[in-house]
């Protein structure tokens, strides 16, 4: 049976070149980079080279890169560390469609008495800049807005948002976990202060991430107990994974044009084919401003989990905008925030591609999916109206 992986916004395959780059650090180069002897010194050079590779992809200085364990840690460090360094003098502004790694810290801050504002999005998943401007009127703020949404692929105008935040005297953080490696990013050209990324979203291993901290931005460390990462994150560096992240960033920089062209073309062909072959479907999110690899589409009158199970049986991996909680199926918070109708919300399905996908993959999905939809519609408890 053919295998087609279209769940790259969840995680990506590790690039072969990344595995090759990491291997020596499991075998020969196992020294502690903080040690003074040669075993440590030679490893330290590779850590700093990886830091440069990450910085180059972002258009940043390598001194502004802090290695973390994942995007979630980076988000928490950016939010909690900045709020702690500000000693409670900041409001916190975010959106209703952020990843839980942002929304959960936001709700923790609210429970602790901070003024927390969650901005709405419209039916296309776009932010209301007027609402942001009004929220900034409450005083200096830390603003956390994702570069691109993990479910719909919708991209926010981060450059414009950062300008508004800085003009109001605030600090700007963006969760760019889904954007890094798929879109050109140059932090010299915008006013973002903090940016989170995750290795396993761009063909590096799980368990490694980074936080960009613009020079002069104050962030208190989450992890204490060592001088590593300029005193911002204690703990012995995860050298093999840091090297892997650096290599993945180098490869991503070389492949951005492919992401923007060939991958986007496959995504568009998949969308066009589904719309042609499957009746009663709708595309979710702003189609003019979205990641080149992401398609979120709702199949009306069908529950999304059933679609995924049937596709999985055919060797196709995708993901759903729905989550089964306590025995009752609920649409994701992103789909709900966009006001997607009930009959469509439960059938939202995300296809997310990578540069390792092929036209043959798209052909297979377009051949396999319509019979699945037809079968599920015939037994749907929702019915047609």
């Amino acid at each position: 049976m053919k295998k087609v992986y279209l769940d790259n916004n969840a995680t990506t395959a590790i690039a072969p070149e990344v595995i090759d780059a990491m291997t020596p650090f499991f075998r020969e180069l196992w020294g502690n980079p903080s040690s003074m002897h040669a075993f440590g010194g030679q490893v330290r050079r590779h850590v700093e080279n990886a830091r440069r590779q990450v910085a180059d992809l972002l258009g940043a200085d390598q001194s502004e890169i802090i290695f973390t364990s994942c995007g979630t840690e980076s988000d928490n460090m950016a939010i909690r560390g900045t709020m702690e360094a500000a000693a409670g003098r900041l409001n916190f502004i975010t959106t209703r469609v952020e990843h839980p790694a942002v929304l959960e810290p936001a709700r923790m801050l609210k429970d602790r008495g901070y003024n927390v504002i969650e901005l709405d999005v419209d039916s296309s998943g776009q932010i209301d800049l007027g609402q942001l401007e009004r929220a900034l009127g409450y005083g200096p703020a830390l603003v956390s807005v994702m570069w691109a949404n993990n479910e719909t692929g919708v991209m926010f105008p981060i450059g414009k948002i950062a300008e508004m935040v800085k003009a109001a005297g605030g600090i700007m953080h963006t969760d760019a976990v889904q954007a890094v490696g798929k879109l050109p990013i140059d932090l010299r050209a915008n006013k973002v202060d903090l940016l989170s990324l995750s290795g396993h979203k761009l063909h590096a291993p799980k368990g490694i991430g980074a936080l960009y901290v613009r020079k002069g931005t104050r962030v208190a460390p989450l992890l204490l107990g060592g001088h590593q990462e300029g005193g911002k994150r204690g703990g012995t560096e995860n050298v093999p994974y840091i090297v892997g992240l650096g290599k993945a960033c180098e490869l991503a920089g070389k492949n951005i044009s492919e992401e923007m062209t060939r991958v986007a073309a496959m995504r568009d062909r998949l969308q066009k084919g589904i719309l042609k072959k499957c009746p009663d479907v709708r595309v979710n999110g702003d189609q003019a401003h979205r990641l080149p690899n992401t398609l979120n589409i709702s199949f009306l009158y069908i529950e999304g989990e059933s679609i995924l199970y049937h596709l999985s049986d055919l060797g196709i991996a995708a993901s759903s905008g729905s989550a089964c909680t306590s025995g009752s199926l609920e649409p994701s918070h992103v789909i709900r925030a966009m006001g997607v109708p009930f009959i469509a919300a439960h059938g939202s399905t995300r296809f997310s591609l990578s540069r390792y996908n092929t036209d043959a993959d798209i052909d297979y999905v377009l051949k396999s999916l319509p019979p699945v939809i037809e079968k599920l519609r015939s037994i749907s408890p929702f019915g047609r109206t």
Side-chain angles (χ1 to χ4, degrees):
M1 180 172 57
K2 184 175 177 62
K3 301 289 186 181
V4 177
Y5 185 78
L6 297 180
D7 198 16
N8 288 276
N9 285 10
T11 197
T12 58
I14 303 176
E17 299 93 331
V18 170
I19 295 174
D20 290 342
M22 294 172 62
T23 299
F25 299 89
F26 291 110
R27 293 177 173 170
E28 300 92 22
L29 300 173
W30 40 261
N32 188 324
S34 296
S35 298
M36 298 297 292
H37 47 63
F39 287 95
Q42 63 182 340
V43 172
R44 166 57 58 184
R45 290 193 293 273
H46 289 283
V47 170
E48 294 311 312
N49 181 62
R51 200 184 308 277
R52 177 189 58 77
Q53 290 170 313
V54 175
D56 286 349
L57 181 62
L58 300 178
D61 187 271
Q62 68 183 74
S63 66
E64 298 173 310
I65 304 301
I66 298 171
F67 290 117
T68 66
S69 65
C70 59
T72 294
E73 182 188 340
S74 296
D75 284 341
N76 272 261
M77 183 175 178
I79 295 167
R80 297 167 61 187
T82 302
M83 297 300 281
E84 180 179 334
R89 294 189 298 272
L90 295 177
N91 297 298
F92 183 67
I93 302 172
T94 188
T95 79
R96 291 178 58 197
V97 296
E98 298 296 312
H99 190 276
V102 169
L103 292 178
E104 290 301 318
R107 285 154 195 173
M108 180 201 73
L109 291 172
K110 187 174 183 179
D111 289 342
R112 295 182 179 180
Y114 287 87
N115 182 35
V116 175
I117 300 170
E118 294 183 11
L119 304 175
D120 298 320
V121 295
D122 62 21
S123 60
S124 71
Q126 276 294 351
I127 193 171
D128 182 345
L129 293 181
Q131 189 182 18
L132 171 61
E133 185 174 18
R134 292 189 294 274
L136 288 169
Y138 286 100
L142 169 63
V143 178
S144 182
V145 175
M146 61 194 345
W147 200 298
N149 187 265
N150 51 300
E151 292 191 30
T152 63
V154 171
M155 299 184 300
F156 289 127
I158 292 299
K160 174 62 177 176
I161 292 170
E163 288 181 3
M164 293 172 64
V165 171
K166 301 309 292 183
I171 300 170
M172 178 67 199
H173 167 247
T174 183
D175 177 337
V177 164
Q178 294 295 342
V180 173
K182 299 170 188 171
L183 304 171
I185 293 177
D186 186 356
L187 294 173
R188 292 177 296 252
N190 65 41
K191 297 183 178 181
V192 167
D193 297 300
L194 301 147
L195 179 147
S196 304
L197 66 89
S198 179
H200 77 105
K201 307 297 187 180
L202 65 153
H203 305 291
K206 304 169 188 66
I208 185 65
L211 177 66
Y212 160 81
V213 181
R214 187 179 293 275
K215 292 177 183 177
T217 304
R218 296 179 61 227
V219 179
L222 290 184
L223 300 181
L224 304 174
H227 63 276
Q228 293 88 355
E229 298 304 297
K232 294 296 186 183
R233 186 186 188 270
T236 303
E237 295 93 340
N238 185 359
V239 176
Y241 283 51
I242 288 172
V243 170
L245 175 60
K247 185 63 177 180
C249 287
E250 179 186 278
L251 293 170
K254 295 176 180 178
N255 287 288
I256 288 287
S257 61
E258 183 179 4
E259 293 279 349
M260 301 289 289
T261 54
R262 188 182 72 84
V263 174
M266 286 191 294
R267 186 273 316 274
D268 291 345
R269 190 162 73 86
L270 177 62
Q271 175 178 317
K272 183 178 179 180
I274 292 174
L275 292 175
K276 180 179 179 180
K277 296 185 176 189
C278 300
D280 297 321
V281 297
R282 58 169 280 165
V283 178
N284 297 316
D286 185 347
Q287 296 180 53
H289 303 93
R290 61 176 169 172
L291 293 171
N293 79 316
T294 305
L295 169 63
N296 188 300
I297 194 161
S298 283
F299 299 89
L300 278 64
Y301 318 111
I302 308 177
E303 184 265 307
E305 299 295 328
S306 296
I307 299 172
L308 297 186
Y309 291 141
H310 281 73
L311 290 180
S312 183
D313 288 342
L314 296 169
I316 301 169
S319 63
S320 174
S322 300
C324 189
T325 306
S326 301
S328 63
L329 192 66
E330 292 293 337
S332 78
H333 69 286
V334 174
I335 296 299
R336 293 198 306 269
M338 293 167 58
V340 175
F342 175 85
I343 58 172
H346 287 268
S348 61
T349 303
R350 181 187 69 188
F351 300 94
S352 48
L353 289 67
S354 83
R355 63 179 183 266
Y356 293 113
N357 285 120
T358 66
D359 285 330
D361 292 339
I362 304 305
D363 292 338
Y364 182 68
V365 175
L366 290 176
K367 176 183 177 182
S368 304
L369 179 62
V372 168
I373 300 303
E374 183 177 1
K375 176 183 177 180
L376 292 174
R377 285 242 173 87
S378 70
I379 59 174
S380 171
F382 295 112
R384 293 178 185 237
T385 57

